[in-house]
């Protein structure tokens, strides 16, 4: 009898572990979320790259975000179709575009925020749900764009607004990373916020021998700060994903 009970417990643990292992968090977006090459030496990190540090054991983070992609080019290059091929019930899709949808000089990437961008977001949401998975929308993280008065100035225009509208209209969980990263940049201040990004003088870092001054992309510190903000808000507002996060 004891052996039978033990066998049932082992089977239950195996089933539970199997269910947890099958849960995947897909991430689709741009360079602020993407994995970077040479992570041991490259100072640049996407916040999706460090997210595995903040998820529960047995949960897979499949980061499909790619540098330079907009919602249009992510679909046009077949990247979204490749997600749909393996996406299944119980998975999650974290969706964050906007930085490159603004590129009006790039017709393969640009989207009107209230037209194509909106409909691309709806496409991601509806097709995710059709697979039995859960979409979660994120507004874009801010750029470090302080003016001469020390005021952080928005660079995203109406794209974050459209994310909010789609989230409201389609009842999609929404994490306002624009809002939270605004406060993050401001809390660090005009000079210290450079640490969240990529600011190196020539010869200061071997990876950027010629120097680099980039206020869009994230350092390892910046990526972890954004990931922690995202996880905190997910745990607070999205009960369905909470148990998969540390």
């Amino acid at each position: 009898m004891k052996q039978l009970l033990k066998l049932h417990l082992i089977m239950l643990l195996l089933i539970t572990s199997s269910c947890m292992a099958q849960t995947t968090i897909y991430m689709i977006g741009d360079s602020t979320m993407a994995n970077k090459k040479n992570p041991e030496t490259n100072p640049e990190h996407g916040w999706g790259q460090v997210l595995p540090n903040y998820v529960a054991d047995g949960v897979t983070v499949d980061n499909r975000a790619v540098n330079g992609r907009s919602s249009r080019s992510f679909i046009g290059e077949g990247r979204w179709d490749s997600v749909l091929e393996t996406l299944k019930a119980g998975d999650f899709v974290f969706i964050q575009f906007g930085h490159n949808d603004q590129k009006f000089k790039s017709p393969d990437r640009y989207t009107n925020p209230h037209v194509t961008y909106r409909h691309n977001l709806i496409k991601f949401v509806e097709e995710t749900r059709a697979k039995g998975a859960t979409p979660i929308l994120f507004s874009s993280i801010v750029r470090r764009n302080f003016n001469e008065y020390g005021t952080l100035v928005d660079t995203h225009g109406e794209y974050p607004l459209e994310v909010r509208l789609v989230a409201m209209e389609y009842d999609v969980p929404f994490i306002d990373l624009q809002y939270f990263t605004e406060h993050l940049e401001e809390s660090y201040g005009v000079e210290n916020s450079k640490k969240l990004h990529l600011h190196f003088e020539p010869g200061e870092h071997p990876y950027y021998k010629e120097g680099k001054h980039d206020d869009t992309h994230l350092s390892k510190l910046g990526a972890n700060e954004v990931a922690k903000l995202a996880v905190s808000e997910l745990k607070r507002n999205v009960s369905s994903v909470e148990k998969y996060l540390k």
Side-chain angles (χ1 to χ4, degrees):
M1 186 67 177
K2 287 183 178 179
Q3 288 182 335
L4 186 60
L5 181 59
K6 186 183 290 187
L7 182 60
H8 280 298
L9 287 171
I10 291 171
M11 289 179 65
L12 181 61
L13 286 170
L14 287 172
I15 291 168
T16 303
S17 299
S18 175
C19 289
M20 179 65 85
Q22 290 175 358
T23 301
T24 300
I25 297 173
Y26 289 89
M27 308 190 75
I28 64 171
D30 54 44
S31 56
T32 61
M33 180 188 270
N35 295 339
K36 310 300 175 181
K37 64 181 181 180
N38 306 321
E40 299 303 318
T41 56
N42 186 355
E44 183 181 347
H45 286 66
W47 72 265
Q49 182 176 353
V50 301
L51 187 67
N53 298 326
Y54 303 96
V55 302
D57 294 339
V59 177
T60 299
V61 175
D62 190 341
N63 189 5
R64 302 292 185 94
V66 182
N67 287 20
R69 271 51 180 192
S70 68
S71 65
R72 179 193 291 272
S73 60
F74 196 86
I75 294 169
E77 294 174 1
R79 297 180 185 277
W80 176 238
D81 284 341
S82 73
V83 172
L84 289 175
E85 287 175 4
T86 53
L87 183 65
K88 63 189 179 305
D91 288 342
F92 296 87
V93 181
F94 291 3
I95 304 160
Q96 182 196 270
F97 289 98
H99 274 92
N100 298 304
D101 286 81
Q102 298 177 291
K103 308 288 188 181
F104 62 90
K105 294 182 180 180
S106 181
D108 60 331
R109 292 188 290 176
Y110 174 74
T111 60
N112 182 310
H114 304 303
V115 185
T116 305
Y117 182 62
R118 168 185 170 80
H119 285 279
N120 287 345
L121 294 179
I122 294 169
K123 176 183 175 70
F124 295 140
V125 166
E126 292 185 332
E127 293 183 357
T128 295
R129 285 176 167 168
K131 289 281 189 172
T134 301
I136 300 177
L137 288 168
F138 294 77
S139 54
S140 300
I141 67 170
V142 299
R143 293 182 174 93
R144 180 186 167 276
N145 185 46
F146 290 96
N147 66 17
E148 65 270 28
Y149 305 106
T151 302
L152 187 69
V153 179
D154 172 62
T155 65
H156 293 309
E158 297 185 340
Y159 290 89
L161 170 62
E162 198 57 60
V163 184
R164 292 176 175 86
L165 291 173
V166 171
M168 290 175 60
E169 292 173 36
Y170 287 80
D171 194 25
V172 183
F174 170 64
I175 304 299
D176 194 355
L177 279 187
Q178 180 189 30
Y179 173 76
F180 294 109
T181 54
E182 277 186 2
H183 283 273
L184 177 65
E185 299 281 352
E186 291 169 346
S187 71
Y188 270 76
V190 175
E191 286 303 313
N192 279 337
S193 58
K194 291 178 181 179
K195 297 175 183 176
L196 301 171
H197 299 278
L198 306 170
H199 280 260
F200 302 101
E201 298 305 320
E204 184 179 349
H205 196 286
Y207 202 83
Y208 298 117
K209 294 178 181 178
E210 305 302 317
K212 191 173 184 69
H213 294 89
D214 181 340
D215 291 315
T216 297
H217 300 100
L218 298 167
S219 64
K220 189 173 184 179
L221 170 65
N224 277 283
E225 290 280 35
V226 173
K228 286 188 283 187
L229 287 172
V231 168
S232 175
E233 290 307 306
L234 285 164
K235 290 167 72 173
R236 194 164 70 93
N237 294 306
V238 189
S239 59
S240 61
V241 77
E242 183 179 3
K243 67 180 177 180
Y244 300 108
L245 305 171
K246 289 181 181 176

